[in-house]
Amino acid sequence: MNDKQGERQGWLARLEERLFEASMPQMVQGMRHEANVDFRELVCDLKAPMAPAFEREVARALNRGVVRDLIPAETLMPEMMVRFGLSSADYGPEQATHLGELQTVCNQCPVVGRCWKALRAGESWEKCRGFCPNAQAFESKTLQAAG
């Protein structure tokens, strides 16, 4: 292969990558509408492998509130609590109202896409506390449980 052919192949590969990334919003939207059950399962499975461009677009859609297929308090909050060393079992019946308030905050989170990506990546509580609106409550509960 001569230099011209190699240059052309490199250019075509970059173009193909750009086209793939540019198609992600339509791909996510199409999958949401045409394969809703599969899309919901995929988004709710925090360990499911995804192409980075697809993952970025899902996170963007979550941040925009476009994806209603994910209920943060059901999918993300239990995983976030694990990061802080907690589970819903740490909240007894007398704290049901407080747990419900935390779930409401989680469901109204303005950075749900960021949370989703962080939990998928296995980020630690130290990273998550910088954006999680429930972080302070989780930290207090962890200290309370330890003391």
Side-chain angles (χ1 to χ4, degrees):
M1 179 181 343
N2 65 35
D3 288 343
K4 273 285 203 209
Q5 288 174 324
E7 189 177 310
R8 187 175 299 131
Q9 283 184 334
W11 183 84
L12 287 172
R14 288 189 300 280
L15 178 61
E16 188 175 283
E17 185 177 323
R18 281 185 175 155
L19 289 172
F20 178 72
E21 292 217 14
S23 71
M24 277 305 126
Q26 293 84 9
M27 190 178 295
V28 168
Q29 184 76 353
M31 190 172 179
R32 279 186 58 235
H33 291 294
E34 295 172 23
N36 190 285
V37 173
D38 292 333
F39 182 75
R40 182 176 182 359
E41 287 177 10
L42 182 65
V43 171
C44 291
D45 181 355
L46 298 176
K47 299 198 184 324
M50 288 182 197
F54 186 80
E55 183 183 51
R56 275 192 306 278
E57 188 54 39
V58 170
R60 285 184 192 129
L62 288 168
N63 279 339
R64 290 189 313 264
V66 173
V67 178
R68 306 209 192 304
D69 308 299
L70 175 93
I71 300 170
E74 291 178 9
T75 303
L76 303 178
M77 189 168 143
E79 282 296 316
M80 185 63 77
M81 290 173 74
V82 167
R83 300 295 190 280
F84 286 86
L86 298 170
S87 75
S88 57
D90 292 315
Y91 293 85
E94 70 284 354
Q95 295 175 316
T97 301
H98 181 59
L99 183 60
E101 290 167 352
L102 294 173
Q103 290 170 330
T104 298
V105 168
C106 185
N107 283 333
Q108 296 172 352
C109 181
V111 293
V112 70
R114 181 176 181 188
C115 177
W116 179 78
K117 278 188 74 174
L119 294 175
R120 283 181 50 77
E123 296 289 356
S124 68
W125 71 272
E126 291 95 344
K127 289 253 184 168
C128 295
R129 71 190 294 235
F131 61 83
C132 179
N134 282 327
Q136 188 174 9
F138 292 154
E139 287 177 334
S140 295
K141 184 64 175 172
T142 300
L143 290 173
Q144 186 183 59

